[in-house]
Amino acid sequence: MVSGARKKRVVLASGTFDLIHLGHVKYLEEAKKAGGKNAELIVIVARDSTVEKRKGKRTVMPEDQRRALVESLKVVDEAILGFEGFSIDKVIEKITPDLVAVGHDQEGIEREVRKAIEDKKFNVQVVRIGRFGKKELNSSSKIMRKIVESFKR
Amino acid sequence: MVSGARKKRVVLASGTFDLIHLGHVKYLEEAKKAGGKNAELIVIVARDSTVEKRKGKRTVMPEDQRRALVESLKVVDEAILGFEGFSIDKVIEKITPDLVAVGHDQEGIEREVRKAIEDKKFNVQVVRIGRFGKKELNSSSKIMRKIVESFKR
C-alpha cells in the first residue's frame, strides 16, 4: 500500500481486558496486522468507571493493573486509559489513528466510532476483527463462569 | 560482569500462570533482570497434569493457552510446556540455564532445584524473586476468590 510506505500506520484498539486471555491477544494481533507492516498498535483500556456505567458491573482487576498488563504484551506499543466519562471523539482526536479495530463483541463501540467519524469527518478506517477459536476460553465471562462453577463443587 | 559480556545469559523461570496478572509479569521481569543485560528468558509453563498432581486442583485455562499467553509477553523470549511427569533435572539438562529464578511462592520448587543442582553438579545459580505489591491482585487464588465473592452478591 502506497500510504503505508510513506508513514507508519497507527491502529487503535480498545477493550476492558479484565481477565486477559488468548482471545484478547489474537484480537490485538489481528488489529495490528490490519495496519500493515510496521503498524503501531495503541490500545485504549476502559476506565473502571466506564465499565461500571456501560456494562453495569465492576471489574475484577483495577484499571491501572489492566492497563499495565495490556502494555506488557509484545503486540502492544502503548496502552492508555480511556477518558473519564468515555469519549470516542476525544480519543480519536488525541491518538489520530489511521484505523480503528473493533472486536467481535464491540458492536456498540463500532456504531459509536462510525457515528463519530461521520459527525467529525475523521479520516479513519474501521476494521472489524473476527472472533478467535469459539471453543477456547475466549471471553472473560466464560472464564468467570468456569471459576464460579469449580468453586461450587 | 565479565561472563555476561562473553555470552547471553539464559534465565529459566517457571509457573502455572493460570490467570495471568501483574505479579506474574513483575516476577518475569525481575527474573530476566537477574541475568543482566541482554539476558534471554525462557519460561517453563506447568502441564495441566502436573498442576493437578502437585496442587491438587485443575487449572482454569488449559496448558496450551497458558503457554501461548505467557509467550505473548514482551519480557518472555520463549515459553515451553514442562515435561509430563514433571522433571526439574530434565528441564535443566534441556535448557542449560545460567540462572534459575524462583518466585516468592515457589519454596518447594526452590528446594527441588537446589537438590537437582547438588545431585547432578549443574553449573546453575538460583535467584529468589520477591513478591510484588502486597496490596495488588498478585495471585491467581486472590483473583478467583474475588470473582466467586462477586457472584454471591
Side-chain angles (χ1 to χ4, degrees):
Chain A
M1 192 179 286
V2 181
S3 69
R6 268 183 286 150
K7 74 173 190 81
K8 196 185 266 192
R9 301 188 89 199
V10 174
V11 179
L12 181 67
S14 67
T16 305
F17 305 97
D18 195 12
L19 294 172
I20 221 158
H21 53 73
L22 264 194
H24 289 135
V25 176
K26 297 288 173 182
Y27 157 60
L28 295 172
E29 284 174 353
E30 289 300 314
K32 193 168 192 169
K33 224 180 271 174
K37 221 182 150 185
N38 299 321
E40 192 182 342
L41 179 66
I42 301 181
V43 182
I44 296 290
V45 176
R47 291 271 177 187
D48 290 341
S49 60
T50 300
V51 179
E52 261 189 83
K53 207 170 158 189
R54 292 178 66 96
K55 299 192 180 179
K57 61 181 181 191
R58 297 180 71 168
T59 61
V60 177
M61 311 282 272
E63 58 191 27
D64 291 336
Q65 292 183 44
R66 291 185 284 110
R67 192 209 65 77
L69 203 50
V70 169
E71 200 167 79
S72 73
L73 296 171
K74 282 180 183 135
V75 69
V76 175
D77 293 288
E78 201 181 345
I80 304 168
L81 286 175
F83 286 98
E84 290 285 0
F86 184 77
S87 169
I88 284 175
D89 292 23
K90 281 205 276 184
V91 165
I92 293 178
E93 276 161 7
K94 185 183 170 187
I95 312 289
T96 63
D98 297 286
L99 270 86
V100 174
V102 292
H104 68 91
D105 56 353
Q106 294 186 314
E107 284 167 26
I109 297 282
E110 182 177 349
R111 264 195 308 275
E112 290 171 70
V113 169
R114 290 194 187 277
K115 191 178 177 310
I117 290 171
E118 207 180 289
D119 288 354
K120 297 277 181 100
K121 313 279 175 238
F122 289 131
N123 183 20
V124 178
Q125 200 185 327
V126 179
V127 185
R128 192 185 297 176
I129 309 296
R131 179 164 210 155
F132 156 76
K134 289 186 183 66
K135 277 183 276 179
E136 277 88 353
L137 281 168
N138 53 6
S139 100
S140 300
S141 321
K142 267 198 217 172
I143 294 171
M144 288 194 208
R145 277 197 299 273
K146 186 169 173 186
I147 292 168
V148 172
E149 284 306 314
S150 73
F151 269 74
K152 278 186 192 157
R153 269 184 263 133
Chain B
M1 189 177 289
V2 180
S3 70
R6 268 184 286 149
K7 72 170 192 82
K8 194 185 267 191
R9 301 187 90 201
V10 174
V11 180
L12 181 66
S14 67
T16 306
F17 306 97
D18 196 13
L19 293 173
I20 221 158
H21 52 74
L22 263 193
H24 290 134
V25 176
K26 298 286 173 185
Y27 157 60
L28 295 172
E29 284 173 353
E30 288 302 314
K32 192 168 192 170
K33 225 181 269 173
K37 220 182 150 186
N38 299 323
E40 191 182 341
L41 180 65
I42 300 183
V43 183
I44 296 289
V45 176
R47 291 270 177 187
D48 291 341
S49 60
T50 300
V51 180
E52 261 190 84
K53 207 171 158 188
R54 291 178 67 97
K55 300 192 182 179
K57 62 182 180 187
R58 298 181 71 170
T59 60
V60 177
M61 309 283 270
E63 57 190 28
D64 292 335
Q65 291 182 44
R66 290 185 285 108
R67 192 209 65 76
L69 202 51
V70 169
E71 199 167 80
S72 72
L73 296 171
K74 281 179 183 136
V75 69
V76 176
D77 294 288
E78 200 180 345
I80 303 169
L81 286 175
F83 285 99
E84 289 287 1
F86 184 77
S87 170
I88 284 175
D89 292 23
K90 282 206 275 182
V91 164
I92 293 179
E93 277 161 7
K94 185 184 172 187
I95 313 288
T96 63
D98 298 285
L99 271 86
V100 174
V102 292
H104 68 93
D105 56 352
Q106 293 187 315
E107 284 166 26
I109 296 282
E110 182 176 350
R111 263 195 309 276
E112 291 171 70
V113 168
R114 290 194 188 278
K115 191 177 177 311
I117 291 172
E118 208 179 288
D119 290 352
K120 299 277 180 99
K121 313 282 176 237
F122 290 130
N123 183 19
V124 179
Q125 200 186 327
V126 179
V127 186
R128 192 183 298 176
I129 308 297
R131 180 164 209 153
F132 156 76
K134 290 186 183 64
K135 276 184 276 180
E136 276 89 353
L137 280 168
N138 53 6
S139 100
S140 300
S141 320
K142 266 197 216 172
I143 295 171
M144 287 193 209
R145 278 197 300 273
K146 185 168 174 189
I147 292 168
V148 172
E149 284 306 315
S150 75
F151 270 75
K152 278 186 191 156
R153 267 184 265 136

